[in-house]
Amino acid sequence: MPSTIWFTPWTPGPAAEATHEKDVTGVAVVSVTEFTPHRPWTAVGVNLTGVALRRSWGEVTGAVGLWLWVDPDPRRPRSGSVSVWRDEKGLKGFVARPDHLRIMRSYRDRGTTRSALWRAPDFDATATREAARSFLSGRSPWPRDPSAQ
């Protein structure tokens, strides 16, 4: 049975032309991450750190916008993000930030992480969120990593 995926409201970044997800236009790089903890109670800490990190989103160079997501299944909770970037340089800059690295290091042995990355030639917020929902819920397979081909 497919999972229930809840998304937070769109959080715009400094690279967005407007503050509403429907007003973002142009080429974008989309990154989807998923963290599945080994123990369900770890999910609480992961979710709180994700929300805290989201507070600084307006300062992240190259960030167009972000949705956090959660699958609240009590036996197998998962969470992550769908982040939208103007280019891969912005994404790489964020991934290398000390606060992001600190969080990743502190949770790396407490669960499994996977991600997907794709380039959207003309960003469509609704289509992007639904594509992410489809593979996060198990209705479609995860996109293949283009760098692995």
Side-chain angles (χ1 to χ4, degrees), residues 71-142:
D71 175 353
D73 183 334
R75 295 162 302 174
R76 189 176 173 260
R78 302 173 299 134
S79 60
S81 66
V82 179
S83 58
V84 182
W85 305 87
R86 276 291 159 222
D87 54 37
E88 288 187 45
K89 181 180 177 186
L91 171 60
K92 288 178 182 178
F94 173 74
V95 169
R97 279 179 33 162
D99 55 351
H100 183 261
L101 289 172
R102 186 173 51 255
I103 291 166
M104 295 303 292
R105 287 181 185 130
S106 67
Y107 285 99
R108 102 172 107 213
D109 295 330
R110 298 181 194 185
T112 58
T113 303
R114 65 179 166 170
S115 63
L117 181 71
W118 71 87
R119 182 174 278 286
D122 190 20
F123 177 69
D124 177 324
T126 302
T128 299
R129 191 176 52 239
E130 288 312 306
R133 182 187 306 277
S134 181
F135 60 83
L136 290 168
S137 66
R139 291 190 320 248
S140 65
W142 273 68

Side-chain angles (χ1 to χ4, degrees), residues 45-60:
V46 169
N47 293 338
L48 290 173
T49 58
V51 169
L53 196 56
R54 184 177 85 160
R55 288 188 193 123
S56 68
W57 193 250
E59 306 162 11
V60 178

Side-chain angles (χ1 to χ4, degrees), residues 24-61:
V24 176
T25 59
V27 175
V29 172
V30 179
S31 173
V32 179
T33 62
E34 173 194 69
F35 180 78
T36 306
H38 297 312
R39 294 179 171 71
W41 55 84
T42 303
V44 174
V46 169
N47 293 338
L48 290 173
T49 58
V51 169
L53 196 56
R54 184 177 85 160
R55 288 188 193 123
S56 68
W57 193 250
E59 306 162 11
V60 178
T61 303

